[in-house]
mmCIF file of all heavy atoms in Angstrom:
data_model
loop_
_atom_site.group_PDB
_atom_site.id
_atom_site.type_symbol
_atom_site.label_atom_id
_atom_site.label_comp_id
_atom_site.label_asym_id
_atom_site.label_seq_id
_atom_site.Cartn_x
_atom_site.Cartn_y
_atom_site.Cartn_z
ATOM 1 N N ILE J 6 -13.827 8.522 -1.869
ATOM 2 C CA ILE J 6 -12.645 7.708 -1.579
ATOM 3 C C ILE J 6 -12.048 8.089 -0.232
ATOM 4 O O ILE J 6 -11.792 9.259 0.017
ATOM 5 C CB ILE J 6 -11.581 7.860 -2.677
ATOM 6 C CG1 ILE J 6 -12.103 7.342 -4.009
ATOM 7 C CG2 ILE J 6 -10.299 7.126 -2.279
ATOM 8 C CD1 ILE J 6 -11.158 7.575 -5.164
ATOM 9 N N ASN J 7 -11.831 7.107 0.619
ATOM 10 C CA ASN J 7 -11.140 7.355 1.878
ATOM 11 C C ASN J 7 -9.780 6.683 1.822
ATOM 12 O O ASN J 7 -8.794 7.272 1.409
ATOM 13 C CB ASN J 7 -11.968 6.842 3.048
ATOM 14 C CG ASN J 7 -11.316 7.187 4.387
ATOM 15 O OD1 ASN J 7 -10.278 7.850 4.445
ATOM 16 N ND2 ASN J 7 -11.919 6.744 5.465
ATOM 17 N N THR J 8 -9.716 5.425 2.202
ATOM 18 C CA THR J 8 -8.439 4.709 2.180
ATOM 19 C C THR J 8 -8.155 4.160 0.794
ATOM 20 O O THR J 8 -9.049 3.642 0.122
ATOM 21 C CB THR J 8 -8.458 3.563 3.196
ATOM 22 O OG1 THR J 8 -8.614 4.104 4.509
ATOM 23 C CG2 THR J 8 -7.168 2.762 3.139
ATOM 24 N N MET J 9 -6.900 4.290 0.371
ATOM 25 C CA MET J 9 -6.439 3.690 -0.869
ATOM 26 C C MET J 9 -5.297 2.737 -0.547
ATOM 27 O O MET J 9 -4.634 2.873 0.487
ATOM 28 C CB MET J 9 -5.981 4.756 -1.866
ATOM 29 C CG MET J 9 -7.094 5.682 -2.293
ATOM 30 S SD MET J 9 -6.580 6.855 -3.556
ATOM 31 C CE MET J 9 -6.500 5.777 -5.005
ATOM 32 N N ALA J 10 -5.078 1.808 -1.461
ATOM 33 C CA ALA J 10 -4.079 0.782 -1.178
ATOM 34 C C ALA J 10 -3.362 0.335 -2.441
ATOM 35 O O ALA J 10 -3.891 0.466 -3.547
ATOM 36 C CB ALA J 10 -4.741 -0.432 -0.524
ATOM 37 N N TRP J 11 -2.170 -0.178 -2.245
ATOM 38 C CA TRP J 11 -1.429 -0.890 -3.288
ATOM 39 C C TRP J 11 -1.380 -2.364 -2.903
ATOM 40 O O TRP J 11 -1.052 -2.716 -1.768
ATOM 41 C CB TRP J 11 -0.007 -0.365 -3.415
ATOM 42 C CG TRP J 11 0.107 0.954 -4.082
ATOM 43 C CD1 TRP J 11 0.275 2.167 -3.479
ATOM 44 C CD2 TRP J 11 0.066 1.218 -5.485
ATOM 45 N NE1 TRP J 11 0.344 3.154 -4.417
ATOM 46 C CE2 TRP J 11 0.219 2.600 -5.665
ATOM 47 C CE3 TRP J 11 -0.085 0.403 -6.620
ATOM 48 C CZ2 TRP J 11 0.223 3.205 -6.916
ATOM 49 C CZ3 TRP J 11 -0.072 0.997 -7.867
ATOM 50 C CH2 TRP J 11 0.075 2.386 -8.010
ATOM 51 N N TYR J 12 -1.716 -3.200 -3.860
ATOM 52 C CA TYR J 12 -1.567 -4.644 -3.740
ATOM 53 C C TYR J 12 -0.588 -5.109 -4.810
ATOM 54 O O TYR J 12 -0.308 -4.394 -5.766
ATOM 55 C CB TYR J 12 -2.909 -5.355 -3.981
ATOM 56 C CG TYR J 12 -3.885 -5.309 -2.850
ATOM 57 C CD1 TYR J 12 -4.609 -4.157 -2.566
ATOM 58 C CD2 TYR J 12 -4.122 -6.435 -2.067
ATOM 59 C CE1 TYR J 12 -5.521 -4.126 -1.522
ATOM 60 C CE2 TYR J 12 -5.042 -6.426 -1.029
ATOM 61 C CZ TYR J 12 -5.741 -5.262 -0.768
ATOM 62 O OH TYR J 12 -6.657 -5.237 0.260
ATOM 63 N N ARG J 13 -0.100 -6.319 -4.657
ATOM 64 C CA ARG J 13 0.720 -6.920 -5.702
ATOM 65 C C ARG J 13 0.427 -8.413 -5.777
ATOM 66 O O ARG J 13 0.025 -9.034 -4.787
ATOM 67 C CB ARG J 13 2.210 -6.676 -5.462
ATOM 68 C CG ARG J 13 2.780 -7.357 -4.232
ATOM 69 C CD ARG J 13 4.238 -6.932 -4.024
ATOM 70 N NE ARG J 13 4.826 -7.536 -2.841
ATOM 71 C CZ ARG J 13 6.039 -7.234 -2.375
ATOM 72 N NH1 ARG J 13 6.795 -6.324 -3.014
ATOM 73 N NH2 ARG J 13 6.509 -7.828 -1.291
ATOM 74 N N GLN J 14 0.658 -8.951 -6.969
ATOM 75 C CA GLN J 14 0.454 -10.379 -7.170
ATOM 76 C C GLN J 14 1.589 -10.922 -8.027
ATOM 77 O O GLN J 14 1.740 -10.522 -9.188
ATOM 78 C CB GLN J 14 -0.890 -10.677 -7.825
ATOM 79 C CG GLN J 14 -1.220 -12.158 -7.893
ATOM 80 C CD GLN J 14 -2.668 -12.418 -8.226
ATOM 81 O OE1 GLN J 14 -3.370 -11.552 -8.750
ATOM 82 N NE2 GLN J 14 -3.151 -13.606 -7.886
ATOM 83 N N ALA J 15 2.371 -11.805 -7.435
ATOM 84 C CA ALA J 15 3.452 -12.469 -8.160
ATOM 85 C C ALA J 15 2.908 -13.733 -8.810
ATOM 86 O O ALA J 15 1.890 -14.284 -8.357
ATOM 87 C CB ALA J 15 4.581 -12.801 -7.203
ATOM 88 N N PRO J 16 3.574 -14.222 -9.851
ATOM 89 C CA PRO J 16 3.101 -15.439 -10.532
ATOM 90 C C PRO J 16 2.960 -16.607 -9.565
ATOM 91 O O PRO J 16 3.874 -16.896 -8.787
ATOM 92 C CB PRO J 16 4.205 -15.701 -11.564
ATOM 93 C CG PRO J 16 4.805 -14.375 -11.813
ATOM 94 C CD PRO J 16 4.751 -13.646 -10.503
ATOM 95 N N GLY J 17 1.815 -17.246 -9.588
ATOM 96 C CA GLY J 17 1.584 -18.413 -8.753
ATOM 97 C C GLY J 17 1.299 -18.109 -7.297
ATOM 98 O O GLY J 17 1.195 -19.026 -6.484
ATOM 99 N N LYS J 18 1.175 -16.827 -6.959
ATOM 100 C CA LYS J 18 0.936 -16.449 -5.574
ATOM 101 C C LYS J 18 -0.354 -15.664 -5.444
ATOM 102 O O LYS J 18 -0.886 -15.138 -6.421
ATOM 103 C CB LYS J 18 2.108 -15.623 -5.032
ATOM 104 C CG LYS J 18 3.414 -16.396 -4.940
ATOM 105 C CD LYS J 18 4.467 -15.588 -4.219
ATOM 106 C CE LYS J 18 5.746 -16.392 -4.029
ATOM 107 N NZ LYS J 18 6.784 -15.609 -3.297
ATOM 108 N N GLN J 19 -0.859 -15.592 -4.211
ATOM 109 C CA GLN J 19 -2.067 -14.820 -3.956
ATOM 110 C C GLN J 19 -1.753 -13.326 -3.965
ATOM 111 O O GLN J 19 -0.614 -12.904 -3.731
ATOM 112 C CB GLN J 19 -2.656 -15.212 -2.592
ATOM 113 C CG GLN J 19 -3.296 -16.592 -2.575
ATOM 114 C CD GLN J 19 -4.072 -16.840 -1.300
ATOM 115 O OE1 GLN J 19 -3.747 -16.300 -0.243
ATOM 116 N NE2 GLN J 19 -5.107 -17.652 -1.385
ATOM 117 N N ARG J 20 -2.772 -12.541 -4.237
ATOM 118 C CA ARG J 20 -2.615 -11.095 -4.194
ATOM 119 C C ARG J 20 -2.309 -10.682 -2.755
ATOM 120 O O ARG J 20 -2.941 -11.158 -1.809
ATOM 121 C CB ARG J 20 -3.868 -10.406 -4.713
ATOM 122 C CG ARG J 20 -3.685 -8.941 -5.011
ATOM 123 C CD ARG J 20 -4.858 -8.378 -5.803
ATOM 124 N NE ARG J 20 -4.920 -8.954 -7.157
ATOM 125 C CZ ARG J 20 -5.756 -8.495 -8.098
ATOM 126 N NH1 ARG J 20 -6.550 -7.480 -7.838
ATOM 127 N NH2 ARG J 20 -5.768 -9.064 -9.277
ATOM 128 N N GLU J 21 -1.345 -9.776 -2.613
ATOM 129 C CA GLU J 21 -0.840 -9.377 -1.298
ATOM 130 C C GLU J 21 -1.009 -7.883 -1.105
ATOM 131 O O GLU J 21 -0.672 -7.089 -2.002
ATOM 132 C CB GLU J 21 0.642 -9.761 -1.204
ATOM 133 C CG GLU J 21 1.366 -9.246 0.006
ATOM 134 C CD GLU J 21 2.874 -9.446 -0.070
ATOM 135 O OE1 GLU J 21 3.453 -9.258 -1.163
ATOM 136 O OE2 GLU J 21 3.458 -9.785 0.966
ATOM 137 N N LEU J 22 -1.487 -7.479 0.086
ATOM 138 C CA LEU J 22 -1.572 -6.064 0.421
ATOM 139 C C LEU J 22 -0.165 -5.545 0.706
ATOM 140 O O LEU J 22 0.544 -6.107 1.537
ATOM 141 C CB LEU J 22 -2.464 -5.862 1.645
ATOM 142 C CG LEU J 22 -2.607 -4.439 2.164
ATOM 143 C CD1 LEU J 22 -3.212 -3.523 1.120
ATOM 144 C CD2 LEU J 22 -3.444 -4.427 3.445
ATOM 145 N N VAL J 23 0.211 -4.459 0.035
ATOM 146 C CA VAL J 23 1.553 -3.900 0.188
ATOM 147 C C VAL J 23 1.545 -2.684 1.111
ATOM 148 O O VAL J 23 2.361 -2.601 2.033
ATOM 149 C CB VAL J 23 2.131 -3.504 -1.187
ATOM 150 C CG1 VAL J 23 3.486 -2.823 -1.022
ATOM 151 C CG2 VAL J 23 2.231 -4.714 -2.093
ATOM 152 N N ALA J 24 0.628 -1.742 0.860
ATOM 153 C CA ALA J 24 0.611 -0.511 1.644
ATOM 154 C C ALA J 24 -0.757 0.140 1.540
ATOM 155 O O ALA J 24 -1.463 -0.049 0.546
ATOM 156 C CB ALA J 24 1.683 0.453 1.150
ATOM 157 N N THR J 25 -1.100 0.893 2.582
ATOM 158 C CA THR J 25 -2.360 1.623 2.595
ATOM 159 C C THR J 25 -2.127 3.055 3.041
ATOM 160 O O THR J 25 -1.160 3.346 3.762
ATOM 161 C CB THR J 25 -3.399 0.986 3.532
ATOM 162 O OG1 THR J 25 -2.877 1.005 4.876
ATOM 163 C CG2 THR J 25 -3.719 -0.441 3.132
ATOM 164 N N ILE J 26 -3.026 3.946 2.624
ATOM 165 C CA ILE J 26 -2.962 5.338 3.061
ATOM 166 C C ILE J 26 -4.394 5.852 3.190
ATOM 167 O O ILE J 26 -5.221 5.662 2.299
ATOM 168 C CB ILE J 26 -2.132 6.205 2.088
ATOM 169 C CG1 ILE J 26 -2.010 7.626 2.637
ATOM 170 C CG2 ILE J 26 -2.706 6.188 0.682
ATOM 171 C CD1 ILE J 26 -0.946 8.455 1.923
ATOM 172 N N THR J 27 -4.686 6.480 4.329
ATOM 173 C CA THR J 27 -6.013 7.033 4.539
ATOM 174 C C THR J 27 -6.096 8.435 3.953
ATOM 175 O O THR J 27 -5.091 9.032 3.567
ATOM 176 C CB THR J 27 -6.345 7.098 6.039
ATOM 177 O OG1 THR J 27 -5.493 8.090 6.645
ATOM 178 C CG2 THR J 27 -6.151 5.751 6.708
ATOM 179 N N ARG J 28 -7.314 8.978 3.925
ATOM 180 C CA ARG J 28 -7.482 10.350 3.446
ATOM 181 C C ARG J 28 -6.666 11.320 4.296
ATOM 182 O O ARG J 28 -6.160 12.316 3.793
ATOM 183 C CB ARG J 28 -8.961 10.709 3.437
ATOM 184 C CG ARG J 28 -9.254 12.143 3.053
ATOM 185 C CD ARG J 28 -10.747 12.391 2.918
ATOM 186 N NE ARG J 28 -11.263 11.841 1.681
ATOM 187 C CZ ARG J 28 -11.255 12.486 0.513
ATOM 188 N NH1 ARG J 28 -10.746 13.691 0.418
ATOM 189 N NH2 ARG J 28 -11.751 11.911 -0.569
ATOM 190 N N GLY J 29 -6.537 11.005 5.571
ATOM 191 C CA GLY J 29 -5.780 11.875 6.465
ATOM 192 C C GLY J 29 -4.285 11.682 6.388
ATOM 193 O O GLY J 29 -3.527 12.394 7.044
ATOM 194 N N GLY J 30 -3.844 10.686 5.609
ATOM 195 C CA GLY J 30 -2.411 10.498 5.429
ATOM 196 C C GLY J 30 -1.779 9.429 6.285
ATOM 197 O O GLY J 30 -0.554 9.238 6.236
ATOM 198 N N THR J 31 -2.559 8.708 7.061
ATOM 199 C CA THR J 31 -2.004 7.619 7.865
ATOM 200 C C THR J 31 -1.632 6.457 6.953
ATOM 201 O O THR J 31 -2.423 6.051 6.111
ATOM 202 C CB THR J 31 -3.015 7.151 8.911
ATOM 203 O OG1 THR J 31 -3.337 8.254 9.762
ATOM 204 C CG2 THR J 31 -2.445 6.017 9.752
ATOM 205 N N THR J 32 -0.433 5.949 7.130
ATOM 206 C CA THR J 32 0.074 4.902 6.253
ATOM 207 C C THR J 32 0.371 3.617 7.017
ATOM 208 O O THR J 32 0.601 3.630 8.234
ATOM 209 C CB THR J 32 1.353 5.357 5.540
ATOM 210 O OG1 THR J 32 2.356 5.661 6.517
ATOM 211 C CG2 THR J 32 1.092 6.599 4.705
ATOM 212 N N ASP J 33 0.386 2.529 6.283
ATOM 213 C CA ASP J 33 0.741 1.234 6.857
ATOM 214 C C ASP J 33 1.365 0.391 5.749
ATOM 215 O O ASP J 33 1.023 0.573 4.568
ATOM 216 C CB ASP J 33 -0.477 0.533 7.438
ATOM 217 C CG ASP J 33 -0.088 -0.603 8.390
ATOM 218 O OD1 ASP J 33 1.098 -0.682 8.774
ATOM 219 O OD2 ASP J 33 -0.964 -1.417 8.736
ATOM 220 N N TYR J 34 2.273 -0.502 6.141
ATOM 221 C CA TYR J 34 3.027 -1.293 5.163
ATOM 222 C C TYR J 34 3.133 -2.744 5.614
ATOM 223 O O TYR J 34 3.191 -3.041 6.809
ATOM 224 C CB TYR J 34 4.442 -0.743 5.009
ATOM 225 C CG TYR J 34 4.524 0.686 4.567
ATOM 226 C CD1 TYR J 34 4.524 1.723 5.491
ATOM 227 C CD2 TYR J 34 4.592 1.007 3.212
ATOM 228 C CE1 TYR J 34 4.591 3.040 5.089
ATOM 229 C CE2 TYR J 34 4.669 2.330 2.803
ATOM 230 C CZ TYR J 34 4.668 3.341 3.740
ATOM 231 O OH TYR J 34 4.740 4.645 3.328
ATOM 232 N N VAL J 35 3.217 -3.624 4.636
ATOM 233 C CA VAL J 35 3.550 -5.002 4.954
ATOM 234 C C VAL J 35 5.020 -5.026 5.383
ATOM 235 O O VAL J 35 5.824 -4.202 4.923
ATOM 236 C CB VAL J 35 3.311 -5.909 3.724
ATOM 237 C CG1 VAL J 35 4.265 -5.588 2.600
ATOM 238 C CG2 VAL J 35 3.384 -7.376 4.108
ATOM 239 N N ASP J 36 5.362 -5.923 6.282
ATOM 240 C CA ASP J 36 6.705 -5.924 6.864
ATOM 241 C C ASP J 36 7.809 -6.009 5.805
ATOM 242 O O ASP J 36 8.870 -5.400 5.957
ATOM 243 C CB ASP J 36 6.855 -7.096 7.841
ATOM 244 C CG ASP J 36 6.127 -6.848 9.149
ATOM 245 O OD1 ASP J 36 5.737 -5.694 9.412
ATOM 246 O OD2 ASP J 36 5.950 -7.811 9.918
ATOM 247 N N SER J 37 7.569 -6.737 4.731
ATOM 248 C CA SER J 37 8.617 -6.986 3.745
ATOM 249 C C SER J 37 9.037 -5.736 2.969
ATOM 250 O O SER J 37 10.094 -5.742 2.315
ATOM 251 C CB SER J 37 8.181 -8.070 2.761
ATOM 252 O OG SER J 37 7.004 -7.683 2.089
ATOM 253 N N VAL J 38 8.244 -4.665 3.029
ATOM 254 C CA VAL J 38 8.595 -3.449 2.279
ATOM 255 C C VAL J 38 8.884 -2.260 3.194
ATOM 256 O O VAL J 38 9.265 -1.188 2.700
ATOM 257 C CB VAL J 38 7.507 -3.064 1.252
ATOM 258 C CG1 VAL J 38 7.170 -4.247 0.364
ATOM 259 C CG2 VAL J 38 6.270 -2.510 1.938
ATOM 260 N N LYS J 39 8.711 -2.432 4.485
ATOM 261 C CA LYS J 39 8.955 -1.327 5.421
ATOM 262 C C LYS J 39 10.390 -0.836 5.304
ATOM 263 O O LYS J 39 11.329 -1.627 5.268
ATOM 264 C CB LYS J 39 8.659 -1.774 6.851
ATOM 265 C CG LYS J 39 7.187 -1.855 7.174
ATOM 266 C CD LYS J 39 6.941 -2.285 8.614
ATOM 267 C CE LYS J 39 5.457 -2.356 8.909
ATOM 268 N NZ LYS J 39 5.180 -2.834 10.283
ATOM 269 N N GLY J 40 10.522 0.488 5.232
ATOM 270 C CA GLY J 40 11.850 1.078 5.090
ATOM 271 C C GLY J 40 12.316 1.197 3.659
ATOM 272 O O GLY J 40 13.326 1.849 3.389
ATOM 273 N N ARG J 41 11.608 0.549 2.724
ATOM 274 C CA ARG J 41 12.013 0.618 1.312
ATOM 275 C C ARG J 41 10.961 1.301 0.446
ATOM 276 O O ARG J 41 11.291 1.983 -0.518
ATOM 277 C CB ARG J 41 12.260 -0.798 0.767
ATOM 278 C CG ARG J 41 13.336 -1.569 1.487
ATOM 279 C CD ARG J 41 13.672 -2.882 0.776
ATOM 280 N NE ARG J 41 12.550 -3.793 0.720
ATOM 281 C CZ ARG J 41 12.017 -4.252 -0.423
ATOM 282 N NH1 ARG J 41 12.521 -3.871 -1.594
ATOM 283 N NH2 ARG J 41 11.004 -5.107 -0.387
ATOM 284 N N PHE J 42 9.691 1.096 0.765
ATOM 285 C CA PHE J 42 8.585 1.660 -0.007
ATOM 286 C C PHE J 42 7.933 2.805 0.765
ATOM 287 O O PHE J 42 7.841 2.756 1.998
ATOM 288 C CB PHE J 42 7.519 0.607 -0.281
ATOM 289 C CG PHE J 42 7.928 -0.475 -1.252
ATOM 290 C CD1 PHE J 42 9.248 -0.656 -1.663
ATOM 291 C CD2 PHE J 42 6.960 -1.348 -1.756
ATOM 292 C CE1 PHE J 42 9.604 -1.654 -2.534
ATOM 293 C CE2 PHE J 42 7.298 -2.362 -2.643
ATOM 294 C CZ PHE J 42 8.637 -2.506 -3.024
ATOM 295 N N THR J 43 7.448 3.807 0.018
ATOM 296 C CA THR J 43 6.720 4.915 0.621
ATOM 297 C C THR J 43 5.461 5.172 -0.180
ATOM 298 O O THR J 43 5.521 5.414 -1.390
ATOM 299 C CB THR J 43 7.570 6.185 0.661
ATOM 300 O OG1 THR J 43 8.768 5.938 1.390
ATOM 301 C CG2 THR J 43 6.791 7.318 1.337
ATOM 302 N N ILE J 44 4.317 5.139 0.495
ATOM 303 C CA ILE J 44 3.037 5.428 -0.146
ATOM 304 C C ILE J 44 2.657 6.870 0.154
ATOM 305 O O ILE J 44 2.904 7.372 1.257
ATOM 306 C CB ILE J 44 1.944 4.443 0.342
ATOM 307 C CG1 ILE J 44 0.668 4.596 -0.474
ATOM 308 C CG2 ILE J 44 1.678 4.613 1.833
ATOM 309 C CD1 ILE J 44 -0.373 3.516 -0.174
ATOM 310 N N SER J 45 2.062 7.545 -0.826
ATOM 311 C CA SER J 45 1.663 8.939 -0.618
ATOM 312 C C SER J 45 0.495 9.271 -1.535
ATOM 313 O O SER J 45 0.171 8.521 -2.457
ATOM 314 C CB SER J 45 2.840 9.880 -0.884
ATOM 315 O OG SER J 45 3.281 9.769 -2.223
ATOM 316 N N ARG J 46 -0.141 10.424 -1.246
ATOM 317 C CA ARG J 46 -1.240 10.910 -2.071
ATOM 318 C C ARG J 46 -1.039 12.392 -2.304
ATOM 319 O O ARG J 46 -0.500 13.109 -1.452
ATOM 320 C CB ARG J 46 -2.596 10.692 -1.363
ATOM 321 C CG ARG J 46 -3.036 9.271 -1.314
ATOM 322 C CD ARG J 46 -4.180 9.057 -0.345
ATOM 323 N NE ARG J 46 -5.468 9.478 -0.890
ATOM 324 C CZ ARG J 46 -6.625 9.109 -0.341
ATOM 325 N NH1 ARG J 46 -6.635 8.366 0.746
ATOM 326 N NH2 ARG J 46 -7.769 9.515 -0.865
ATOM 327 N N ASP J 47 -1.520 12.906 -3.433
ATOM 328 C CA ASP J 47 -1.425 14.335 -3.671
ATOM 329 C C ASP J 47 -2.528 15.054 -2.893
ATOM 330 O O ASP J 47 -3.449 14.433 -2.374
ATOM 331 C CB ASP J 47 -1.509 14.644 -5.158
ATOM 332 C CG ASP J 47 -2.883 14.354 -5.751
ATOM 333 O OD1 ASP J 47 -3.698 13.698 -5.082
ATOM 334 O OD2 ASP J 47 -3.125 14.783 -6.887
ATOM 335 N N ASN J 48 -2.421 16.370 -2.798
ATOM 336 C CA ASN J 48 -3.365 17.136 -1.984
ATOM 337 C C ASN J 48 -4.795 17.033 -2.495
ATOM 338 O O ASN J 48 -5.740 17.117 -1.715
ATOM 339 C CB ASN J 48 -2.934 18.604 -1.930
ATOM 340 C CG ASN J 48 -1.687 18.802 -1.096
ATOM 341 O OD1 ASN J 48 -1.398 18.002 -0.214
ATOM 342 N ND2 ASN J 48 -0.944 19.849 -1.367
ATOM 343 N N ALA J 49 -4.963 16.895 -3.780
ATOM 344 C CA ALA J 49 -6.305 16.787 -4.342
ATOM 345 C C ALA J 49 -6.893 15.408 -4.131
ATOM 346 O O ALA J 49 -8.076 15.189 -4.430
ATOM 347 C CB ALA J 49 -6.274 17.111 -5.832
#
C-alpha cells in the first residue's frame, strides 16, 4: 500500500474523492473540505 484515500458518495451523486495521503504523509483535499477535514495514518 502506498497512497490511501477517502471517497464519499451522497444519494443520487457520483462518488467523490475527499482526501488522499501517501506513505510519506503527503496529503491533499478536495476544496470543499479544506480546513475542516484532516487525513492521517498511523506509523504502522
Side-chain angles (χ1 to χ4, degrees):
I6 297 175
N7 184 3
T8 297
M9 297 184 74
W11 285 101
Y12 283 76
R13 66 185 179 186
Q14 187 166 19
K18 295 188 176 181
Q19 288 190 331
R20 194 168 293 189
E21 172 190 40
L22 177 61
V23 176
T25 61
I26 184 166
T27 68
R28 176 174 284 274
T31 300
T32 60
D33 197 13
Y34 301 89
V35 66
D36 285 346
S37 59
V38 308
K39 284 181 180 177
R41 300 188 298 120
F42 290 12
T43 302
I44 189 172
S45 61
R46 288 166 78 165
D47 68 347
N48 289 335

